[in-house]
Amino acid sequence: VPAVLFECLQFPGPPPRRLLFRQVHEDAGAVVRCPPAFRDLLARIYDELFLIRELVPAPGVESLPAGRSVLGVELDRSRGRATLCPLLPGADLAANIAAHVALLRREGLTQVQARCDLHHGWQATVAGLLGAGGFVPVGLEPGAGAGDILLLEHHG
């Protein structure tokens, strides 16, 4: 399929990542919870894709419940890849993320990614914690979850 039929998205990072995208149905618009560190990037991407999104700040870390968090992990050992999926919020999220990354690296997985659904405020908060923990945005999947899914990759 010719690349000229798609919109090209550029994501910063080592190395910069170029993705092709084509929306095949009408977009009704949405509200996106957004970590402050990623606001400019997401605003640019939504603008380039002509997607109507209202960017609202993600809740602060203090809004996370006092309990323990749960992260799911999808493994693809043949590619050396692991994908973290936040399942349950908790006050220990930053430490939980760091522990998962350390374990996955010790297990020899060279590519550690995470997926956050920006429809849910707490998952947008997780995206901010991931960013603070060395993850950078490398992809966006509009409408792939309850809202748009932000894909991040660990480069720390």
Side-chain angles (χ1 to χ4, degrees), residues 37-70:
F38 302 145
R39 188 182 197 303
D40 291 342
L41 172 68
L42 289 173
R44 177 183 59 80
I45 288 169
Y46 288 128
D47 188 53
E48 288 176 5
L49 293 176
F50 301 102
L51 294 175
I52 301 167
R53 297 294 187 266
E54 180 183 347
L55 299 177
V56 298
V61 176
E62 66 280 352
S63 70
L64 295 172
R68 295 185 181 221
S69 60
V70 177

Side-chain angles (χ1 to χ4, degrees), residues 1 26 34 41 43 45-46 51 70 72 94 100 112 117 120 126 150:
V1 177
E26 181 129 1
C34 182
L41 172 68
I45 288 169
Y46 288 128
L51 294 175
V70 177
H100 274 75
V112 180
D117 190 332
H120 304 289
V126 172
L150 180 64

Side-chain angles (χ1 to χ4, degrees), residues 26-149:
E26 181 129 1
D27 183 67
V31 173
V32 172
R33 276 72 178 180
C34 182
F38 302 145
R39 188 182 197 303
D40 291 342
L41 172 68
L42 289 173
R44 177 183 59 80
I45 288 169
Y46 288 128
D47 188 53
E48 288 176 5
L49 293 176
F50 301 102
L51 294 175
I52 301 167
R53 297 294 187 266
E54 180 183 347
L55 299 177
V56 298
V61 176
E62 66 280 352
S63 70
L64 295 172
R68 295 185 181 221
S69 60
V70 177
L71 298 172
V73 180
E74 297 172 7
L75 296 175
D76 184 347
R77 288 196 183 273
S78 64
R79 292 187 176 154
R81 182 185 317 160
T83 304
L84 301 175
C85 303
L87 300 175
L88 190 66
D92 68 337
L93 259 166
N96 196 0
I97 291 166
H100 274 75
V101 169
L103 175 65
L104 294 167
R105 294 287 189 205
R106 282 194 310 272
E107 291 287 321
L109 296 157
T110 57
Q111 189 179 21
V112 180
Q113 298 181 332
R115 295 171 56 85
C116 296
D117 190 332
L118 299 180
H119 173 77
H120 304 289
W122 72 271
Q123 286 200 30
T125 302
V126 172
L129 290 170
L130 289 161
F135 284 77
V136 297
V138 295
L140 181 72
E141 300 171 6
D148 299 338
I149 301 288

